[in-house]
């Protein structure tokens, strides 16, 4: 990545209970087991908004929102690309 290149990165909004997660295992039917950065393993559901636009693979870094009424489930709302993950690691977010 060159020095002059600008990378736009979306960060989790703490007011909306968003957090970083890593895709662990593909379960099928738009469900993925994710390892959240708070130490919890949850079953994530890919939201319909990103279902057709973004392909999620094992090992991808994601933003998830845990459910209020079931703590072991969450919604996946964003997937980071490789340059975005490198930027997050370089600036100390991951």
């Amino acid at each position: 990545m060159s020095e002059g290149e600008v990378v736009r990165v979306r960060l989790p909004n703490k007011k909306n209970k968003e957090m970083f997660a890593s895709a662990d295992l593909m379960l099928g039917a738009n469900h993925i087991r994710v390892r959240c950065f708070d130490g919890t393993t949850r079953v994530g559901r890919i939201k319909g908004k990103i279902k057709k636009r973004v392909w999620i693979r094992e090992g991808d870094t994601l933003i998830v929102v845990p459910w209020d009424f079931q703590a072991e489930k969450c919604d996946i709302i964003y997937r980071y690309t490789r340059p975005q993950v490198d930027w997050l690691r370089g600036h100390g977010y991951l």
Side-chain angles (χ1 to χ4, degrees):
M1 190 165 76
S2 65
E3 289 297 322
E5 185 177 347
V6 176
V7 177
R8 294 187 58 99
V9 177
R10 181 186 188 282
L11 295 174
N13 187 354
K14 300 295 182 189
K15 286 192 292 185
N16 296 341
K17 300 179 184 174
E18 297 176 358
M19 68 178 74
F20 290 112
S22 177
D24 196 27
L25 179 68
M26 305 298 289
L27 300 174
N30 300 319
H31 289 81
I32 301 173
R33 188 171 66 196
V34 297
R35 189 173 311 267
C36 298
F37 278 33
D38 64 352
T40 308
T41 301
R42 294 183 169 94
V43 175
R45 181 184 63 160
I46 302 173
K47 297 280 287 190
K49 182 177 178 181
I50 66 168
K51 188 187 304 183
K52 301 289 185 195
R53 298 180 187 173
V54 178
W55 289 90
I56 298 176
R57 296 174 299 276
E58 294 176 8
D60 283 346
T61 304
L62 312 165
I63 295 179
V64 298
V65 179
W67 290 2
D68 292 333
F69 51 92
Q70 285 182 321
E72 69 276 357
K73 294 187 179 180
C74 63
D75 287 330
I76 298 169
I77 60 171
Y78 189 79
R79 179 184 67 93
Y80 287 106
T81 60
R82 182 66 56 199
Q84 290 174 331
V85 172
D86 294 339
W87 186 90
L88 287 169
R89 284 202 180 110
H91 286 80
Y93 289 102
L94 297 180

